[in-house]
Amino acid sequence: MKKLIILVAIAAIFLAAHYFGIDSYLTLDGLKQGVNQLQTLNATQPWLVVAIFSAIYIVLTAVSFPGAAVMTLGAGALFGVVGGTIVVSFASTIGATLAFLASRYLLRDYVESKFGSRLKAFNTGIEKEGAFYLFTLRLAPVVPFFVINLLMGLTAIKTRTYYWVSQLGMLAGTAVYVNAGTQLAKISSLKGILSPGLLISFTLLGLFPLIAKKALNLIAKRKVYAHWKKPARFDQNLIVIGAGAAGLVTAYIAAAVKAKVTLIEAHKMGGDCLNYGCVPSKALIKSAKLAHQMRHADRYGLNAATPALSFKAVMQRVHKVIADIAPHDSIERYTGLGVNVVQGYAKLIDPWTVHIKHNDGRECTMTARSIVIAAGAQPFVPPLPGLQDVGYVTSDTLWDEFVKRDEPPKRLVVLGGGPIGCELAQSFARLGATVTQVEMADRIMIREDVEVSDLAMKSLHADGVNVLVGHKALRCELRDGRKFLIMEHTGQRIELEFDDLLCAVGRSARLAGYGLEALGIDTHRVVQTNEYLETLYPNIFAAGDVAGPYQFTHVAAHQAWYAAVNALFGQFKKFKVDYSVIPWTTFIDPEVARVGLNEADAKSQNVPFEVTRYGIDDLDRAIADSDAHGFVKVLTVPGKDKILGVTIVGTHAGDLLAEFVLAMRHGLGLNKILGTIHTYPTLAEANKYAAGEWKRAHAPARVLALLSKYHTWRLG
Ligand SMILES: Cc1cc2nc3c(=O)[nH]c(=O)nc-3n(C[C@H](O)[C@H](O)[C@H](O)COP(=O)(O)OP(=O)(O)OC[C@H]3O[C@@H](n4cnc5c(N)ncnc54)[C@H](O)[C@@H]3O)c2cc1C
């Protein structure tokens, strides 16, 4: 309503200006006549004339009424060079800022909702360099004055910045016009006032700060190399430190484009994902799920049975799965692809040189034009007093530790309510451990919507996991060989006895010990990179967990492409990492899969959205499988089928999500998913039914009412 009032007010002022013939004064002849009329008043009451003139100037500029140039000439004629320049400088800037604010208020939300994601990069640019661009535009009036006001209102530039840059940027042009206005009688056309020479000078002046800033950046970039001596020749085009997902893919791409590339790995090829992360945890989840299904076989018409499981055999299977997948990441495979694989510890000694301590004790140095750091992350172990005394396992150590055991841990404490903690807590509970999961926050899986956390908690409870949320671990105690965790919950001290403790409270990037400190590379939580994955040194890149912001294998692989291409071909073209569509899945049962925004994100980012939900309890295949639980929740742009984000909870949710990831990546809406044939009966049909729910909610009521009438008429 407010918007409508403002719009009507602007239109009314516009029409009134026409009605009262203001535009007739905004021609050269009209101006000359108007100035003559005002001269007498100006001689006796100059402040009144200044006030009236300024008010008219501000109002006309605010409603984008054409004629600012003519009025500026008038200011020269009335108030002289200095006075005129001051009056116009303030009046035009205030008016321009009002027009800018009106445009922002009336149109920004609409533009954001329509082009929000596409505008993100533009707005980031404006936030960083908007003042420079505006200054250039203001100095060189190639774009009409009112267009700048209206367009800038749609960007993220701050009002204060807009005001002062406009005032400064318009000053020179204003002075030229005001000066010309002092000779008003001699002016016969507006055209000659800004000669082409003057225009070019202004443009150059406007571009100067931008060019200066770029030049300073370039100098700063070069300066970082000042302390170092660049080798005359390089041994390699690229050195990659770490052979996890990020390092392997980087090396693979480099070899594929025939670069000379060395991949250095200190420990196991395949990194965390293969040896301690995705692969072993998913192998464990499979065995645990089977044990769970045996226990609940009566749901399928079979006799329920307590699985006679050998914990050792389960853990041995985990190791066998790792061994079966290991050839995909092996030295042999990568050597075959053309990568020089080195087993050793790498340390940066200058921006182009890496010292390698080979695992067999040899040492050497190697140079490369570019280096990619892909050193990954490691489990974060909180500084809990007594933790070292009671002992603990992490995702790094549990696989080797538990494979030695015949029995699952009796009383297992899992510290941490994130995805890794949840997956492992559920699995070990299903394999016979008595599990207590301890989370400090008031819910588990805090990144997901509350209803998802609630469902996850319910399913963990159903598997016998005692989930303690809002419990802060204070310390561990070892008393007479017995282990205790001391916690605090709503001000009370709680004590829990346990046999094993699994620490799963997060993973921190590997930042120390391999030369980042000596090179001065910024390492606040992760290796700091720009959007091209360049570190402080434009020839040193970082990718994967060590660089963040996500900690997933598929994101590490995604970044690897950018790191490899920018490192090898950045001198021709550099690519900014695209994080616009990032999916992930937590592999508890039922799985929780997500891409894009959930409701909490959308609310916190002020993104307008509609929610469409389809309950998987209604899906034929899920019912047939006795897996009828969970939902597909899709967030869309209000009134549109454009997908903003999807959360799926259910069996194989991670696989179901792929269709939405593809849709979002390629701008396909729910109508396209609805128009796609999905095999019956599959779980994937849930996606189509979710799209169907959206369609039903957006059925054209009026057309349907007409159709109903038409069909009634056709009955005869
Ligand atoms: C239990 C668990 C379950 C997970 N489940 C999933 C999942 O289901 N899906 C998913 O997407 N992600 C999952 N992850 C996360 C995934 O494992 C990581 O995101 C991924 O491994 C990151 O790969 P990376 O290449 O960045 O690092 P890493 O895999 O950690 O590789 C880094 C490598 O660098 C080596 N290195 C470090 N410093 C040096 C040096 N100076 N010289 C030589 N070598 C060095 C290390 O030895 C290591 O091998 C899981 C993680 C854990 C712990």
Side-chain angles (χ1 to χ4, degrees):
M1 189 62 187
K2 258 192 200 164
K3 287 188 179 174
L4 193 67
I5 293 172
I6 292 179
L7 209 62
V8 170
I10 291 173
I13 293 171
F14 217 92
L15 291 175
H18 272 298
Y19 183 78
F20 290 110
I22 298 250
D23 32 3
S24 67
Y25 286 101
L26 298 175
T27 60
L28 263 183
D29 290 340
L31 177 73
K32 286 173 188 169
Q33 199 187 334
V35 165
N36 283 341
Q37 287 166 4
L38 277 174
Q39 290 290 21
T40 342
L41 187 60
N42 197 27
T44 53
Q45 290 180 286
W47 289 111
L48 182 65
V49 176
V50 167
I52 294 170
F53 183 90
S54 301
I56 294 174
Y57 202 122
I58 290 170
V59 173
L60 293 186
T61 311
V63 299
S64 303
F65 199 87
V70 174
M71 283 203 73
T72 308
L73 291 175
L78 282 171
F79 314 120
V81 177
V82 177
T85 305
I86 293 172
V87 169
V88 172
S89 173
F90 280 96
S92 62
T93 311
I94 294 170
T97 307
L98 289 174
F100 159 90
L101 287 173
S103 155
R104 174 164 288 182
Y105 184 64
L106 295 175
L107 298 171
R108 176 103 187 265
D109 287 351
Y110 170 75
V111 173
E112 278 280 325
S113 71
K114 202 157 167 58
F115 309 104
S117 54
R118 267 175 277 168
L119 279 181
K120 220 171 165 187
F122 175 73
N123 273 334
T124 317
I126 286 286
E127 260 170 46
K128 267 165 82 185
E129 301 199 336
F132 292 102
Y133 293 125
L134 177 60
F135 187 66
T136 311
L137 285 173
R138 286 300 191 203
L139 257 176
V142 274
V143 184
F145 174 64
F146 77 97
V147 175
I148 300 174
N149 301 338
L150 301 184
L151 283 184
M152 290 308 277
L154 307 179
T155 72
I157 195 167
K158 289 196 181 88
T159 309
R160 209 171 350 134
T161 312
Y162 182 81
Y163 181 91
W164 75 258
V165 175
S166 294
Q167 184 142 30
L168 200 68
M170 291 191 294
L171 208 54
T174 300
V176 170
Y177 271 81
V178 170
N179 185 43
T182 58
Q183 309 294 316
L184 189 60
K186 294 182 198 156
I187 300 176
S188 57
S189 139
L190 286 177
K191 276 197 185 127
I193 295 173
L194 270 185
S195 67
L198 210 52
L199 258 178
I200 291 169
S201 315
F202 279 179
T203 309
L204 289 178
L205 203 62
L207 284 174
F208 177 74
L210 205 62
I211 294 168
K213 189 165 184 249
K214 297 271 177 214
L216 281 177
N217 280 347
L218 209 70
I219 292 167
K221 273 189 178 175
R222 295 205 170 268
K223 221 169 121 186
V224 298
Y225 292 111
H227 312 296
W228 312 103
K229 189 167 167 354
K230 192 174 177 179
R233 266 189 66 79
F234 300 101
D235 303 323
Q236 303 285 310
N237 296 107
L238 188 66
I239 290 177
V240 183
I241 300 176
L248 287 168
V249 178
T250 305
Y252 181 105
I253 293 166
V257 295
K258 303 295 173 206
K260 206 170 169 203
V261 53
T262 288
L263 174 65
I264 309 167
E265 171 54 54
H267 300 294
K268 296 183 180 175
M269 292 293 287
D272 269 20
C273 184
L274 171 63
N275 300 293
Y276 317 108
C278 333
V279 170
S281 62
K282 268 76 247 179
L284 185 79
I285 285 168
K286 182 67 188 181
S287 297
K289 184 160 188 176
L290 200 58
H292 171 80
Q293 283 175 334
M294 287 171 74
R295 224 172 260 128
H296 298 284
D298 52 334
R299 291 180 189 165
Y300 308 94
L302 311 175
N303 289 342
T306 303
L309 66 90
S310 153
F311 187 68
K312 192 178 223 105
V314 168
M315 295 310 289
Q316 280 171 343
R317 174 183 170 271
V318 168
H319 282 276
K320 180 169 182 318
V321 170
I322 296 173
D324 287 347
I325 295 179
H328 300 173
D329 299 347
S330 65
I331 296 178
E332 295 72 26
R333 175 165 184 240
Y334 275 78
T335 308
L337 289 168
V339 178
N340 173 37
V341 183
V342 174
Q343 287 271 273
Y345 191 79
K347 189 169 178 179
L348 292 160
I349 51 177
D350 72 34
W352 306 274
T353 313
V354 174
H355 173 267
I356 306 169
K357 188 157 193 258
H358 290 258
N359 287 357
D360 60 12
R362 277 180 303 129
E363 295 192 24
C364 71
T365 55
M366 191 182 269
T367 58
R369 191 176 281 281
S370 299
I371 295 170
V372 173
I373 300 166
Q378 59 207 356
F380 172 70
V381 179
L384 267 191
L387 186 61
Q388 303 299 332
D389 304 332
V390 295
Y392 60 91
V393 287
T394 65
S395 57
D396 272 9
T397 56
L398 85 90
W399 314 106
D400 285 341
E401 174 55 36
F402 284 6
V403 75
K404 297 178 199 153
R405 303 195 186 177
D406 294 320
E407 298 294 329
K410 273 204 169 50
R411 290 164 301 178
L412 174 69
V413 166
V414 175
L415 268 191
I420 295 176
C422 290
E423 288 181 4
L424 295 176
Q426 187 179 47
S427 299
F428 285 119
R430 287 179 164 190
L431 290 170
T434 299
V435 180
T436 304
Q437 192 180 7
V438 179
E439 168 57 56
M440 194 162 67
D442 60 357
R443 60 189 177 96
I444 56 172
M445 291 174 55
I446 195 95
R447 284 175 75 180
E448 306 303 335
D449 278 339
V450 174
E451 63 172 334
V452 175
S453 297
D454 289 348
L455 266 180
M457 185 131 151
K458 241 191 207 160
S459 91
L460 288 172
H461 276 155
D463 281 306
V465 180
N466 178 25
V467 185
L468 302 178
V469 292
H471 281 64
K472 184 176 179 192
L474 298 178
R475 62 179 181 281
C476 295
E477 288 178 7
L478 191 62
R479 293 183 226 138
D480 304 328
R482 292 166 65 193
K483 301 169 179 179
F484 296 89
L485 175 68
I486 318 298
M487 299 170 281
E488 190 237 278
H489 175 59
T490 57
Q492 285 193 326
R493 181 180 176 279
I494 294 167
E495 201 173 279
L496 177 74
E497 190 172 357
F498 65 90
D499 301 303
D500 285 287
L501 186 144
L502 166 58
C503 199
V505 291
R507 299 168 49 70
S508 38
R510 277 194 195 95
L511 303 171
Y514 59 96
L516 301 179
E517 307 88 341
L519 266 73
I521 292 176
D522 195 3
T523 54
H524 177 65
R525 291 168 69 96
V526 290
V527 173
Q528 299 294 310
T529 58
N530 61 13
E531 55 268 69
Y532 304 106
L533 297 178
E534 289 169 354
T535 64
L536 173 69
Y537 299 88
N539 73 315
I540 302 182
F541 297 76
D545 283 7
V546 79
Y550 297 92
Q551 290 187 334
F552 300 115
T553 294
H554 45 278
V555 178
H558 177 69
Q559 289 177 322
W561 183 89
Y562 292 90
V565 172
N566 289 340
L568 294 170
F569 303 109
Q571 64 278 26
F572 304 116
K573 167 132 182 81
K574 288 196 282 193
F575 295 87
K576 289 182 185 169
V577 194
D578 179 1
Y579 293 118
S580 57
V581 183
I582 302 286
W584 62 82
T585 299
T586 302
F587 294 87
I588 52 169
D589 184 12
E591 290 177 7
V592 174
R594 173 129 87 91
V595 60
L597 298 179
N598 64 2
E599 289 189 66
D601 288 345
K603 281 177 195 153
S604 71
Q605 293 170 28
N606 278 330
V607 177
F609 64 94
E610 275 179 12
V611 177
T612 302
R613 171 191 287 274
Y614 171 74
I616 293 178
D617 52 335
D618 201 39
L619 185 69
D620 291 2
R621 181 55 190 266
I623 295 169
D625 288 352
S626 292
D627 267 336
H629 43 238
F631 56 81
V632 177
K633 179 164 73 169
V634 186
L635 269 64
T636 43
V637 173
K640 302 251 157 63
D641 72 336
K642 185 180 167 157
I643 304 165
L644 295 170
V646 180
T647 301
I648 306 180
V649 178
T651 304
H652 294 300
D655 294 309
L656 298 193
L657 191 74
E659 184 170 17
F660 288 110
V661 179
L662 181 84
M664 284 184 74
R665 185 76 183 85
H666 298 286
L668 306 174
L670 288 179
N671 279 316
K672 290 275 192 287
I673 290 181
L674 188 61
T676 304
I677 299 173
H678 291 63
T679 314
Y680 179 85
T682 54
L683 295 178
E685 280 186 300
N687 297 348
K688 181 171 169 144
Y689 289 136
E693 289 297 324
W694 177 87
K695 192 73 179 176
R696 234 189 311 284
H698 293 81
R702 275 203 209 126
V703 176
L704 289 179
L706 281 175
L707 279 176
S708 164
K709 283 191 185 141
Y710 168 75
H711 289 304
T712 311
W713 172 72
R714 288 276 291 163
L715 290 173

